[in-house]
Amino acid sequence: MLLVVEGIVMCFVLLIICVIGIANGPVGLVVFYEQEVKDRVVALGLTTRDRIKKTSAITMTALFVPTLILVPYMVYGINGASGFREGFWQMLVILMISGLFDRLFIDCWWVGHTKAWIIPGTEDLVPYIYGKTLVKKWVGTLVGFPILAAVLAGLMQILMR
């Protein structure tokens, strides 16, 4: 049960990052859109390439710092996991809950079925997540998160010696 709560905490972290990112409009997180959308937004004068690069760095930091620090802390510090196997599977559960939340709630429903992420002047480019990007996101969740959990569990074993 605690792992589910911790997974929900990570979902909330992701949700807060997205809410803050689009607080002044979806252009704020255009970093997550296809390149053709980014190009159009720049052409429309809604942002600049430099602003997109800066936002990308800030957003990636906001996403990865909690994943790299909070998840291991919850597993080893709060849950008291010991050893690689126990740490790995607990981190994997937390990461998969947040990953599935991202794929299903954020990408599929929020971005795909609401108007919150529609950038005026790019409506002809909807859906914003499709093809190779969609496949990459699912592979990142289903393959990348187990690898990340293994790497983090391995690092924790080294750090805890």
Coordinates of all heavy atoms in Angstrom, one line a residue, residues 14-87:
L14 N 4.8 15.1 -11.0 CA 4.7 15.3 -12.4 C 3.6 16.2 -12.8 O 3.7 17.1 -13.6 CB 4.5 13.9 -13.1 CG 4.3 13.9 -14.6 CD1 5.5 14.6 -15.4 CD2 4.1 12.5 -15.1
L15 N 2.4 16.0 -12.2 CA 1.3 16.9 -12.4 C 1.6 18.3 -12.1 O 1.2 19.3 -12.9 CB 0.1 16.4 -11.7 CG -1.2 17.1 -11.9 CD1 -1.7 17.0 -13.3 CD2 -2.3 16.6 -10.9
I16 N 2.2 18.6 -11.0 CA 2.5 20.0 -10.6 C 3.5 20.6 -11.6 O 3.3 21.8 -11.9 CB 3.2 20.0 -9.1 CG1 2.1 19.6 -8.1 CG2 3.8 21.3 -8.8 CD1 1.0 20.6 -8.0
I17 N 4.5 19.8 -12.0 CA 5.4 20.4 -13.0 C 4.7 20.8 -14.3 O 4.9 21.8 -14.9 CB 6.5 19.3 -13.4 CG1 7.4 19.2 -12.1 CG2 7.3 19.7 -14.6 CD1 8.4 18.0 -12.2
C18 N 3.7 19.9 -14.7 CA 2.9 20.2 -15.9 C 2.0 21.4 -15.7 O 1.9 22.3 -16.6 CB 2.1 19.0 -16.3 SG 3.1 17.7 -17.0
V19 N 1.4 21.5 -14.6 CA 0.4 22.6 -14.3 C 1.2 23.9 -14.2 O 0.8 24.9 -14.8 CB -0.3 22.4 -12.9 CG1 -1.0 23.6 -12.5 CG2 -1.3 21.2 -13.1
I20 N 2.4 23.9 -13.6 CA 3.2 25.1 -13.5 C 3.7 25.5 -14.9 O 3.7 26.6 -15.3 CB 4.4 25.0 -12.5 CG1 3.8 24.9 -11.1 CG2 5.4 26.1 -12.7 CD1 4.9 24.5 -10.0
G21 N 4.1 24.5 -15.7 CA 4.6 24.7 -17.0 C 3.7 25.3 -18.0 O 4.1 26.1 -18.9
I22 N 2.4 25.0 -17.9 CA 1.4 25.5 -18.8 C 0.5 26.6 -18.1 O -0.5 27.0 -18.7 CB 0.5 24.4 -19.4 CG1 -0.4 23.8 -18.4 CG2 1.4 23.5 -20.2 CD1 -1.5 22.9 -19.1
A23 N 0.9 27.1 -17.0 CA 0.2 28.1 -16.2 C -0.1 29.3 -17.1 O -1.2 29.9 -17.0 CB 0.8 28.5 -14.9
N24 N 0.8 29.7 -17.9 CA 0.7 30.9 -18.7 C 0.4 30.5 -20.2 O 0.6 31.3 -21.1 CB 1.9 31.8 -18.7 CG 2.1 32.4 -17.3 OD1 1.1 32.8 -16.7 ND2 3.3 32.4 -16.8
G25 N -0.1 29.3 -20.4 CA -0.4 28.8 -21.7 C 0.5 27.6 -22.1 O 1.6 27.4 -21.5
P26 N 0.0 26.8 -23.0 CA 0.7 25.6 -23.3 C 2.0 25.8 -24.0 O 2.9 24.9 -24.0 CB -0.3 24.8 -24.2 CG -1.2 25.9 -24.7 CD -1.3 26.9 -23.7
V27 N 2.3 27.0 -24.5 CA 3.6 27.3 -25.1 C 4.7 27.1 -24.1 O 5.8 26.7 -24.4 CB 3.6 28.7 -25.7 CG1 5.0 29.1 -26.2 CG2 2.6 28.8 -26.8
G28 N 4.4 27.2 -22.8 CA 5.3 27.0 -21.7 C 6.0 25.7 -21.7 O 7.1 25.5 -21.3
L29 N 5.3 24.7 -22.2 CA 5.9 23.3 -22.3 C 5.9 22.8 -23.7 O 5.8 21.6 -23.9 CB 5.1 22.3 -21.4 CG 5.4 22.5 -19.9 CD1 4.6 21.5 -19.0 CD2 6.9 22.4 -19.5
V30 N 6.1 23.7 -24.6 CA 6.2 23.3 -26.0 C 7.4 22.3 -26.2 O 7.5 21.6 -27.2 CB 6.3 24.5 -27.0 CG1 7.7 25.2 -26.9 CG2 6.0 24.1 -28.4
V31 N 8.3 22.2 -25.2 CA 9.4 21.3 -25.3 C 9.0 19.9 -25.5 O 9.7 19.0 -26.0 CB 10.4 21.4 -24.1 CG1 11.0 22.8 -23.9 CG2 9.6 21.1 -22.8
F32 N 7.8 19.6 -25.0 CA 7.2 18.2 -25.1 C 6.5 17.9 -26.4 O 6.1 16.8 -26.7 CB 6.3 17.9 -24.0 CG 7.0 17.8 -22.7 CD1 6.6 18.6 -21.6 CD2 8.1 17.0 -22.5 CE1 7.2 18.5 -20.4 CE2 8.7 16.9 -21.2 CZ 8.3 17.7 -20.2
Y33 N 6.4 18.9 -27.3 CA 5.7 18.8 -28.6 C 6.6 18.3 -29.7 O 7.9 18.4 -29.5 CB 5.1 20.1 -29.0 CG 3.9 20.6 -28.1 CD1 4.1 20.9 -26.8 CD2 2.6 20.7 -28.6 CE1 3.1 21.4 -26.0 CE2 1.6 21.1 -27.8 CZ 1.8 21.4 -26.5 OH 0.8 21.9 -25.7
E34 N 6.0 17.9 -30.8 CA 6.8 17.5 -32.0 C 7.6 18.7 -32.5 O 7.2 19.8 -32.3 CB 5.9 16.9 -33.0 CG 5.1 15.7 -32.6 CD 6.0 14.4 -32.6 OE1 7.1 14.4 -33.1 OE2 5.6 13.5 -32.0
Q35 N 8.7 18.4 -33.2 CA 9.5 19.5 -33.8 C 8.7 20.5 -34.7 O 8.9 21.7 -34.6 CB 10.7 19.0 -34.5 CG 11.7 20.0 -35.0 CD 12.3 20.8 -33.8 OE1 12.7 20.2 -32.8 NE2 12.3 22.1 -33.9
E36 N 7.8 19.9 -35.4 CA 7.0 20.8 -36.3 C 6.1 21.8 -35.5 O 5.9 22.9 -36.0 CB 6.1 20.0 -37.3 CG 5.1 19.1 -36.6 CD 4.7 17.9 -37.5 OE1 5.2 17.7 -38.5 OE2 3.7 17.3 -37.1
V37 N 5.7 21.4 -34.4 CA 4.9 22.3 -33.5 C 5.9 23.4 -32.9 O 5.5 24.6 -33.0 CB 4.2 21.6 -32.4 CG1 3.4 22.6 -31.5 CG2 3.3 20.5 -32.9
K38 N 7.0 23.0 -32.5 CA 8.0 23.9 -32.0 C 8.4 25.0 -33.1 O 8.4 26.2 -32.8 CB 9.3 23.2 -31.5 CG 9.1 22.3 -30.3 CD 10.4 21.6 -30.0 CE 10.1 20.5 -29.1 NZ 11.3 19.6 -28.9
D39 N 8.6 24.5 -34.3 CA 8.9 25.4 -35.4 C 7.8 26.3 -35.7 O 8.0 27.5 -35.9 CB 9.2 24.5 -36.7 CG 10.5 23.7 -36.6 OD1 11.3 24.0 -35.7 OD2 10.6 22.7 -37.4
R40 N 6.6 25.9 -35.6 CA 5.4 26.7 -35.9 C 5.3 27.8 -34.8 O 5.0 29.0 -35.1 CB 4.1 25.9 -36.0 CG 2.9 26.7 -36.1 CD 2.5 27.1 -37.6 NE 2.4 26.0 -38.5 CZ 1.3 25.2 -38.7 NH1 0.2 25.5 -38.0 NH2 1.4 24.2 -39.5
V41 N 5.5 27.4 -33.6 CA 5.3 28.3 -32.4 C 6.4 29.4 -32.5 O 6.1 30.6 -32.3 CB 5.4 27.6 -31.1 CG1 5.6 28.5 -29.9 CG2 4.2 26.7 -30.9
V42 N 7.6 29.0 -32.9 CA 8.7 30.0 -33.1 C 8.3 31.0 -34.3 O 8.4 32.2 -34.2 CB 10.0 29.4 -33.4 CG1 11.1 30.4 -33.8 CG2 10.5 28.7 -32.1
A43 N 7.8 30.4 -35.4 CA 7.4 31.2 -36.6 C 6.3 32.1 -36.2 O 6.2 33.3 -36.8 CB 7.0 30.2 -37.7
L44 N 5.4 31.7 -35.4 CA 4.3 32.6 -35.0 C 4.7 33.7 -34.0 O 3.9 34.6 -33.6 CB 3.2 31.8 -34.3 CG 2.4 30.8 -35.2 CD1 1.5 29.9 -34.4 CD2 1.6 31.7 -36.2
G45 N 6.0 33.6 -33.5 CA 6.5 34.6 -32.6 C 6.0 34.4 -31.1 O 6.1 35.3 -30.3
L46 N 5.5 33.2 -30.8 CA 5.1 32.9 -29.5 C 6.2 32.6 -28.5 O 6.0 32.7 -27.3 CB 4.0 31.8 -29.5 CG 2.8 32.0 -30.4 CD1 1.9 30.8 -30.4 CD2 2.0 33.2 -29.8
T47 N 7.3 32.2 -29.0 CA 8.5 31.9 -28.2 C 9.7 31.9 -29.1 O 9.6 32.2 -30.3 CB 8.4 30.6 -27.5 OG1 9.4 30.5 -26.5 CG2 8.5 29.4 -28.4
T48 N 10.9 31.6 -28.6 CA 12.1 31.6 -29.4 C 12.8 30.2 -29.2 O 12.5 29.5 -28.2 CB 13.1 32.7 -29.0 OG1 13.5 32.5 -27.6 CG2 12.5 34.1 -29.1
R49 N 13.7 29.9 -30.0 CA 14.5 28.6 -29.9 C 15.3 28.7 -28.6 O 15.4 27.6 -27.9 CB 15.3 28.4 -31.1 CG 14.5 28.2 -32.4 CD 15.3 27.4 -33.4 NE 14.5 27.4 -34.7 CZ 13.5 26.7 -34.9 NH1 13.0 25.9 -34.0 NH2 12.8 26.8 -36.1
D50 N 15.8 29.8 -28.3 CA 16.6 29.9 -27.0 C 15.7 29.7 -25.8 O 16.1 29.0 -24.9 CB 17.3 31.3 -26.9 CG 18.5 31.4 -27.9 OD1 19.0 30.4 -28.3 OD2 18.9 32.6 -28.2
R51 N 14.5 30.3 -25.8 CA 13.6 30.1 -24.7 C 13.2 28.6 -24.6 O 13.1 28.1 -23.5 CB 12.4 31.0 -25.0 CG 11.4 30.9 -23.9 CD 11.8 31.8 -22.7 NE 10.8 31.7 -21.7 CZ 11.0 31.6 -20.4 NH1 12.3 31.7 -20.0 NH2 10.1 31.5 -19.5
I52 N 13.0 27.9 -25.7 CA 12.7 26.5 -25.7 C 13.8 25.7 -25.1 O 13.6 24.8 -24.3 CB 12.3 26.0 -27.1 CG1 11.0 26.6 -27.6 CG2 12.2 24.5 -27.1 CD1 10.7 26.3 -29.1
K53 N 15.1 26.0 -25.5 CA 16.2 25.3 -24.9 C 16.3 25.6 -23.4 O 16.6 24.6 -22.6 CB 17.5 25.8 -25.6 CG 17.7 25.3 -27.0 CD 19.0 25.8 -27.6 CE 19.1 25.3 -29.0 NZ 20.3 25.9 -29.6
K54 N 16.1 26.8 -23.0 CA 16.2 27.1 -21.5 C 15.1 26.4 -20.8 O 15.3 25.8 -19.7 CB 16.0 28.6 -21.3 CG 16.1 29.0 -19.9 CD 16.0 30.6 -19.7 CE 16.0 30.9 -18.3 NZ 15.7 32.4 -18.1
T55 N 13.9 26.4 -21.3 CA 12.7 25.7 -20.7 C 12.9 24.2 -20.6 O 12.6 23.6 -19.6 CB 11.4 26.1 -21.4 OG1 11.2 27.5 -21.4 CG2 10.2 25.4 -20.8
S56 N 13.5 23.7 -21.7 CA 13.8 22.3 -21.7 C 14.8 21.9 -20.6 O 14.6 20.9 -19.9 CB 14.4 21.9 -23.1 OG 14.7 20.5 -23.1
A57 N 15.8 22.6 -20.4 CA 16.8 22.4 -19.3 C 16.1 22.4 -17.9 O 16.3 21.6 -17.1 CB 18.0 23.3 -19.4
I58 N 15.3 23.5 -17.7 CA 14.6 23.6 -16.4 C 13.6 22.5 -16.2 O 13.6 21.9 -15.1 CB 13.9 25.0 -16.4 CG1 14.9 26.1 -16.3 CG2 13.0 25.1 -15.2 CD1 14.3 27.5 -16.6
T59 N 12.9 22.2 -17.2 CA 11.9 21.1 -17.1 C 12.5 19.7 -16.9 O 12.0 19.0 -16.0 CB 11.0 21.1 -18.4 OG1 10.4 22.4 -18.6 CG2 9.9 20.0 -18.3
M60 N 13.5 19.4 -17.6 CA 14.2 18.1 -17.4 C 14.8 18.0 -16.0 O 14.7 17.0 -15.4 CB 15.3 17.9 -18.5 CG 14.7 17.7 -19.9 SD 13.4 16.5 -20.0 CE 12.2 17.3 -21.0
T61 N 15.3 19.1 -15.5 CA 15.9 19.1 -14.1 C 14.7 18.9 -13.2 O 14.8 18.1 -12.2 CB 16.6 20.5 -13.8 OG1 17.6 20.6 -14.8 CG2 17.1 20.5 -12.4
A62 N 13.6 19.6 -13.4 CA 12.4 19.4 -12.5 C 11.9 18.0 -12.5 O 11.3 17.5 -11.5 CB 11.4 20.5 -12.8
L63 N 12.0 17.3 -13.6 CA 11.5 16.0 -13.7 C 12.5 15.0 -13.2 O 12.1 14.0 -12.5 CB 11.2 15.6 -15.2 CG 10.0 16.3 -15.8 CD1 10.0 16.0 -17.3 CD2 8.7 15.8 -15.2
F64 N 13.7 15.1 -13.4 CA 14.7 14.1 -13.1 C 15.2 14.2 -11.6 O 15.5 13.2 -11.0 CB 15.9 14.1 -14.1 CG 15.5 13.4 -15.4 CD1 15.4 14.2 -16.5 CD2 15.1 12.1 -15.4 CE1 15.0 13.7 -17.7 CE2 14.7 11.5 -16.6 CZ 14.7 12.3 -17.8
V65 N 15.3 15.4 -11.1 CA 15.8 15.5 -9.7 C 14.9 14.7 -8.7 O 15.4 13.9 -7.9 CB 16.0 17.0 -9.3 CG1 16.2 17.1 -7.8 CG2 17.2 17.6 -10.0
P66 N 13.6 14.9 -8.8 CA 12.7 14.1 -7.9 C 12.9 12.6 -8.1 O 12.9 11.8 -7.2 CB 11.3 14.5 -8.2 CG 11.5 15.9 -8.7 CD 12.7 15.9 -9.5
T67 N 13.0 12.2 -9.4 CA 13.1 10.8 -9.8 C 14.4 10.2 -9.2 O 14.5 9.1 -8.7 CB 13.1 10.6 -11.3 OG1 11.8 11.1 -11.8 CG2 13.2 9.2 -11.7
L68 N 15.5 11.0 -9.3 CA 16.8 10.5 -8.9 C 17.1 10.6 -7.4 O 17.9 9.9 -6.8 CB 17.9 11.2 -9.7 CG 17.9 11.1 -11.2 CD1 19.0 11.9 -11.8 CD2 18.0 9.6 -11.6
I69 N 16.3 11.5 -6.7 CA 16.5 11.7 -5.3 C 15.4 11.2 -4.4 O 15.5 10.4 -3.5 CB 16.9 13.2 -5.0 CG1 18.2 13.5 -5.6 CG2 16.9 13.4 -3.5 CD1 18.5 15.0 -5.6
L70 N 14.2 11.6 -4.8 CA 13.0 11.3 -4.0 C 12.6 9.8 -4.0 O 12.3 9.2 -3.0 CB 11.8 12.2 -4.4 CG 10.5 12.0 -3.6 CD1 10.8 12.4 -2.2 CD2 9.4 12.9 -4.2
V71 N 12.7 9.2 -5.2 CA 12.3 7.8 -5.3 C 13.3 6.9 -4.5 O 12.8 6.1 -3.6 CB 12.3 7.3 -6.8 CG1 12.1 5.8 -6.9 CG2 11.1 8.1 -7.5
P72 N 14.6 7.1 -4.6 CA 15.5 6.3 -3.7 C 15.3 6.6 -2.3 O 15.4 5.7 -1.4 CB 16.9 6.6 -4.2 CG 16.7 7.1 -5.6 CD 15.4 7.8 -5.6
Y73 N 15.0 7.8 -1.9 CA 14.8 8.2 -0.5 C 13.6 7.5 0.0 O 13.6 7.0 1.1 CB 14.7 9.7 -0.4 CG 14.3 10.1 1.0 CD1 15.2 10.0 2.1 CD2 13.0 10.4 1.3 CE1 14.8 10.3 3.4 CE2 12.6 10.7 2.6 CZ 13.5 10.7 3.7 OH 13.2 10.9 5.0
M74 N 12.5 7.5 -0.8 CA 11.3 6.8 -0.3 C 11.5 5.3 -0.1 O 11.1 4.8 0.9 CB 10.1 7.0 -1.3 CG 9.6 8.4 -1.3 SD 8.1 8.7 -2.3 CE 8.7 8.5 -4.0
V75 N 12.2 4.7 -1.0 CA 12.5 3.3 -1.0 C 13.4 2.9 0.1 O 13.1 2.0 0.9 CB 12.9 2.8 -2.3 CG1 13.5 1.3 -2.2 CG2 11.8 2.8 -3.4
Y76 N 14.6 3.5 0.2 CA 15.6 3.2 1.2 C 15.4 3.9 2.5 O 15.7 3.3 3.6 CB 17.0 3.4 0.6 CG 17.3 2.4 -0.5 CD1 17.1 2.6 -1.8 CD2 17.8 1.1 -0.1 CE1 17.4 1.7 -2.8 CE2 18.1 0.2 -1.1 CZ 17.9 0.5 -2.4 OH 18.2 -0.5 -3.4
G77 N 15.0 5.2 2.5 CA 14.9 5.9 3.7 C 13.6 5.7 4.4 O 13.6 5.5 5.6
I78 N 12.5 5.7 3.7 CA 11.2 5.6 4.4 C 10.8 4.1 4.5 O 10.4 3.7 5.6 CB 10.1 6.4 3.6 CG1 10.4 7.9 3.6 CG2 8.7 6.1 4.1 CD1 9.6 8.7 2.7
N79 N 10.9 3.4 3.4 CA 10.5 2.0 3.4 C 11.5 1.0 4.0 O 11.1 -0.1 4.4 CB 10.2 1.5 2.0 CG 9.1 2.3 1.3 OD1 8.5 3.2 1.9 ND2 8.9 2.0 0.0
G80 N 12.7 1.5 4.2 CA 13.8 0.7 4.8 C 14.2 -0.5 3.9 O 14.7 -1.5 4.5
A81 N 14.2 -0.3 2.6 CA 14.6 -1.4 1.8 C 16.1 -1.7 2.0 O 16.9 -0.8 2.3 CB 14.4 -1.0 0.3
S82 N 16.5 -2.9 1.9 CA 17.9 -3.3 2.0 C 18.2 -4.2 0.8 O 17.4 -5.1 0.5 CB 18.2 -3.9 3.3 OG 17.4 -5.1 3.5
G83 N 19.3 -4.0 0.2 CA 19.7 -4.9 -0.9 C 19.2 -4.4 -2.2 O 18.3 -3.6 -2.3
F84 N 19.8 -4.9 -3.2 CA 19.5 -4.5 -4.6 C 18.1 -5.0 -5.0 O 17.3 -4.1 -5.5 CB 20.5 -5.2 -5.6 CG 20.2 -4.9 -7.0 CD1 20.6 -3.7 -7.6 CD2 19.5 -5.8 -7.8 CE1 20.3 -3.4 -8.9 CE2 19.1 -5.5 -9.1 CZ 19.6 -4.3 -9.7
R85 N 17.8 -6.2 -4.8 CA 16.5 -6.7 -5.3 C 15.3 -6.0 -4.7 O 14.4 -5.6 -5.4 CB 16.4 -8.2 -5.0 CG 15.1 -8.8 -5.6 CD 14.9 -10.3 -5.3 NE 16.1 -11.0 -5.5 CZ 16.2 -12.3 -5.4 NH1 15.1 -13.0 -5.1 NH2 17.4 -13.0 -5.5
E86 N 15.3 -5.8 -3.4 CA 14.2 -5.1 -2.7 C 14.1 -3.7 -3.2 O 13.0 -3.2 -3.5 CB 14.4 -5.2 -1.2 CG 13.2 -4.7 -0.4 CD 13.4 -4.9 1.1 OE1 14.5 -5.4 1.6 OE2 12.5 -4.5 1.8
G87 N 15.2 -3.0 -3.3 CA 15.2 -1.6 -3.7 C 14.8 -1.5 -5.2 O 14.0 -0.6 -5.5

